[in-house]
Amino acid sequence: MAVGKKDIECPPYAEGTPLSDADIKQKKVTYVEDHPDIRYSWTAGQAISKFLNGLKEGKILGVKCNKCGRVMVPPRMFCELCYKPIDGWVELKDTGTVETFSISYIDPDARPLPEPVIVAVISIDGASPHMGIMHILDEVKPEDVYIGMKVKAVWKSEEEREGAITDIKYWKPMEG
Amino acid sequence: MVAVVGVGYSGFNSTTPDLSWKEIMYEAAVRAYTDAGINPRRDVDSFVTCAEDIYEGFAIFDEFVPDQLGAVVKPTCTVSGDFLYGVATAYMQIRSGLADIAVVEAHSKASDIQTFGNVVKFAMDPIWLRNIGNAHPYYLAALEMFQYMSERCLGEEDVARVVVKNKNNALLNESAPYAANVTIDDVMASPKLFDPMKKMEIAPLADGCVVFVLASDKVARELTDSPVWVKGVGWWSETYGYDTASLSAMYAYKAAKMAYRMAGIANPAKEVDFAEVDDRFAFKELQHIEALQLAGKFDSARLMAEGYFDRDGALPVNVSGGSLGVGNLLECTGGQKALEVVLQLRGEAGKKQLSDVETGVAQAWRYLPTHSGAVAVFGV
């Protein structure tokens, strides 16, 4: 597997022939630029509000459905498989298992990142199998990450937490 | 034949700080499934939602649909348009034999949008329309309004009367957050925000969700003794620009023609008992009444003044309170209108119930800055 920082250029024949910045600046292409100012404030709702407020307290909360027996995270007010209201809330551990991961080298604008970002899907201990959240891993070398690795949440300090998914800074390997 | 066998809604409210849009959808869907007596996990063959990504604030909205509708691992698709386009889509799926039971959903969580004016501007051609001046784009409706008033020789009172009727009708609607006991003097005194258009002539934004369960006639007769039939559906688009369109609601005229033909309605003014039309700007109600052929070209304002479209008039229009009373529900606008038509036809419209109604029309425009819209005819 390709790991660590590396040369991410493709050979030119595989990249195609792009317009250069100079082509654009010289107005070889006629274009109009616009930067719309569009803003939203999404109401988190019953389930996610409680989840986010839990994060602020350093807790990961899930919900359970007594019909299918699943413990679900992130929480929702209804079980989407049984299509009925959930039956209660449970506090989960802040530890879990890496289900899958990717070592990502470029940002959304396709510019190289100074350090690769390790994105992982983490199933949370105490939730049903394969239920969890997508987050990032740190304090680990890319080449040392593996599917099945046990990880633990690294939280922001209590004063810094604001009730957002980023209250967990990242996940790191559990020792031992 | 295709029937409406279940309806459910959530709202309508000016803001919904306690629920997410997913939770609003779940609430409306559970009510619709309970009303229809079905289990979505077992009984529904197809789910159609109507949404516009820019109203939601995230892309590929269809991906966010299944969970709250009971549609996980089921056929699901999203129509980028009003609820009535979704009714047309579900109608075709059922008539083609693809589905026996299809669900249609649309919602508005307009209170999540902080910059609604810029969202509307985002629908304007970015190269040569969007950046002309920096006025709120509601002026687009005022441009059309002034031309309409001038062509029909209307006074300001003629448009103001629509607001008086609808906001007062809304007083009988428990789900109409903008209901108000207003007089024509109140409306005339309302500030002109986009001369000649007054503030009270603009439907404020609202939140809510509508879900319908549609079924083939065979299944409908098994599920209910009182199906409401989808007699006709139609949709139509003119052209996109304010500089190229006719500004005469051709979209509503042509969509209605299509729906009336399917419904076998030759003389709408006589055969339609009541209508819920798009009144998100008050003048649009007059224009749409005319386009739906519910009144002659120069008659709609005169008839409005005579009380012809009042709830106790000969042809009640917007007995629900319309969008002026309920609020602008974005892509759910046609949903609120179709809901009112179905409830009236079932005799379940509560205090606002009309007597002796058998055929009703719901119409929705795709809102600013479009010249598109859809119509559905329902009957018992």
Side-chain angles (χ1 to χ4, degrees):
Chain A
M1 186 182 292
V3 292
K5 236 181 140 178
K6 66 187 179 85
D7 180 8
I8 55 173
E9 291 291 312
C10 285
Y13 60 82
E15 293 267 18
T17 309
L19 284 164
S20 69
D21 283 352
D23 291 337
I24 305 282
K25 283 194 183 111
Q26 289 163 24
K27 285 264 182 182
K28 287 185 180 173
V29 179
T30 306
Y31 68 94
V32 171
E33 213 171 301
D34 189 26
H35 302 271
D37 171 24
I38 295 181
R39 282 170 276 136
Y40 305 87
S41 48
W42 296 278
T43 311
Q46 300 282 314
I48 299 296
S49 293
K50 192 157 174 171
F51 177 69
L52 295 177
N53 290 330
L55 291 178
K56 202 171 180 180
E57 292 167 24
K59 293 176 188 168
I60 297 175
L61 298 176
V63 291
K64 59 180 179 174
C65 170
N66 289 344
K67 190 170 175 202
C68 63
R70 290 188 309 154
V71 174
M72 297 168 272
V73 65
R76 59 219 71 178
M77 293 311 286
F78 47 86
C79 171
E80 75 279 9
L81 298 183
C82 303
Y83 206 66
K84 60 176 273 302
I86 51 108
D87 294 297
W89 288 78
V90 281
E91 187 179 337
L92 305 172
K93 293 185 178 158
D94 68 348
T95 56
T97 307
V98 172
E99 293 279 333
T100 182
F101 68 98
S102 171
I103 302 155
S104 307
Y105 295 95
I106 61 173
D107 75 5
D109 274 346
R111 294 188 188 94
L113 289 161
E115 293 297 328
V117 172
I118 310 170
V119 184
V121 174
I122 299 154
S123 57
I124 309 274
D125 288 340
S128 292
H130 309 301
M131 296 220 77
I133 59 176
M134 192 178 74
H135 216 279
I136 54 172
L137 304 183
D138 208 338
E139 290 188 42
V140 61
K141 288 184 193 144
E143 59 266 35
D144 293 338
V145 184
Y146 58 94
I147 289 174
M149 188 170 74
K150 295 293 292 177
V151 291
K152 182 171 174 52
V154 176
W155 296 82
K156 283 182 180 168
S157 69
E158 203 175 330
E159 307 80 64
E160 286 175 307
R161 292 201 291 260
E162 52 185 358
I165 193 66
T166 45
D167 286 354
I168 297 174
K169 287 198 281 190
Y170 54 86
W171 298 68
K172 67 172 187 181
M174 286 173 78
E175 279 123 342
Chain B
M1 293 278 276
V2 173
V4 180
V5 296
V7 296
Y9 68 101
S10 176
F12 308 103
N13 297 302
S14 57
T15 180
T16 321
D18 52 331
L19 297 176
S20 69
W21 55 272
K22 284 186 187 177
E23 291 161 354
I24 289 178
M25 282 172 72
Y26 178 72
E27 194 169 271
V30 167
R31 288 174 182 165
Y33 302 147
T34 305
D35 184 43
I38 59 161
N39 174 351
R41 306 296 296 139
R42 184 190 62 210
D43 302 323
V44 176
D45 303 309
S46 171
F47 297 82
V48 180
T49 61
C50 308
E52 181 62 64
D53 288 358
I54 197 78
Y55 290 150
E56 307 297 334
F58 38 87
I60 319 182
F61 175 76
D62 34 322
E63 201 55 21
F64 294 83
V65 167
D67 294 31
Q68 57 273 22
L69 289 183
V72 176
V73 297
K74 294 270 216 167
T76 305
C77 71
T78 293
V79 173
S80 179
D82 183 86
F83 181 89
L84 296 180
Y85 286 83
V87 170
T89 302
Y91 181 95
M92 292 186 280
Q93 291 180 354
I94 292 170
R95 283 299 300 270
S96 66
L98 269 176
D100 285 322
I101 298 182
V103 164
V104 183
E105 183 273 347
H107 64 274
S108 162
K109 196 63 162 59
S111 63
D112 283 356
I113 304 173
Q114 289 186 2
T115 53
F116 186 67
N118 285 350
V119 166
V120 174
K121 278 185 79 173
F122 198 67
M124 296 168 72
D125 187 300
I127 295 177
W128 64 310
L129 290 180
R130 192 185 295 168
N131 290 315
I132 303 294
N134 62 352
H136 189 294
Y138 281 165
Y139 70 76
L140 291 164
L143 293 174
E144 188 168 343
M145 172 181 172
F146 199 34
Q147 190 184 66
Y148 179 74
M149 288 174 72
S150 141
E151 283 176 1
R152 297 290 180 274
C153 309
L154 301 184
E156 291 183 21
E157 289 84 356
D158 291 317
V159 181
R161 273 186 205 102
V162 176
V163 184
V164 175
K165 171 176 72 68
N166 291 1
K167 279 187 170 285
N168 278 282
N169 278 351
L171 290 169
L172 297 176
N173 185 348
E174 293 166 357
S175 305
Y178 300 106
N181 179 13
V182 294
T183 65
I184 193 140
D185 292 339
D186 296 326
V187 183
M188 291 301 286
S190 162
K192 282 183 178 169
L193 295 187
F194 306 89
D195 201 336
M197 193 160 70
K198 301 176 181 66
K199 183 165 189 257
M200 282 181 76
E201 293 169 355
I202 303 168
L205 294 167
D207 294 347
C209 178
V210 172
V211 174
F212 273 20
V213 180
L214 268 56
S216 63
D217 52 354
K218 181 172 172 289
V219 172
R221 286 179 213 280
E222 285 166 13
L223 285 171
T224 175
D225 295 329
S226 53
V228 171
W229 302 103
V230 183
K231 299 265 189 180
V233 287
W235 62 97
W236 205 79
S237 292
E238 195 181 337
T239 171
Y240 85 100
Y242 271 71
D243 34 13
T244 51
S246 68
L247 307 186
S248 62
M250 278 289 277
Y251 56 86
Y253 174 75
K254 290 286 196 175
K257 287 275 262 195
M258 184 171 162
Y260 290 149
R261 186 170 62 239
M262 195 186 293
I265 290 176
N267 188 342
K270 286 208 166 63
E271 295 172 63
V272 171
D273 297 320
F274 69 106
E276 289 281 310
V277 310
D278 201 319
D279 60 329
R280 282 181 280 181
F281 298 96
F283 84 98
K284 278 269 164 198
E285 177 167 314
L286 295 166
Q287 192 192 36
H288 287 149
I289 285 172
E290 198 184 299
L292 295 176
Q293 295 180 263
L294 302 178
K297 204 170 175 184
F298 288 91
D299 297 336
S300 62
R302 177 178 58 79
L303 292 171
M304 182 75 63
E306 290 171 9
Y308 188 84
F309 303 116
D310 287 358
R311 55 168 290 104
D312 56 357
L315 204 169
V317 172
N318 286 335
V319 285
S320 68
S323 304
L324 290 163
V326 174
N328 176 1
L329 292 165
L330 304 178
E331 304 296 24
C332 188
T333 296
Q336 182 267 327
K337 296 185 187 304
L339 172 75
E340 182 64 28
V341 172
V342 169
L343 292 177
Q344 289 284 351
L345 292 171
R346 280 181 173 185
E348 294 174 1
K351 284 189 228 160
K352 51 189 163 53
Q353 182 65 47
L354 300 168
S355 55
D356 300 325
V357 283
E358 290 179 357
T359 302
V361 174
Q363 178 259 335
W365 164 47
R366 260 215 94 199
Y367 202 56
L368 292 174
T370 79
H371 308 280
S372 296
V375 170
V377 180
F378 298 94
V380 287

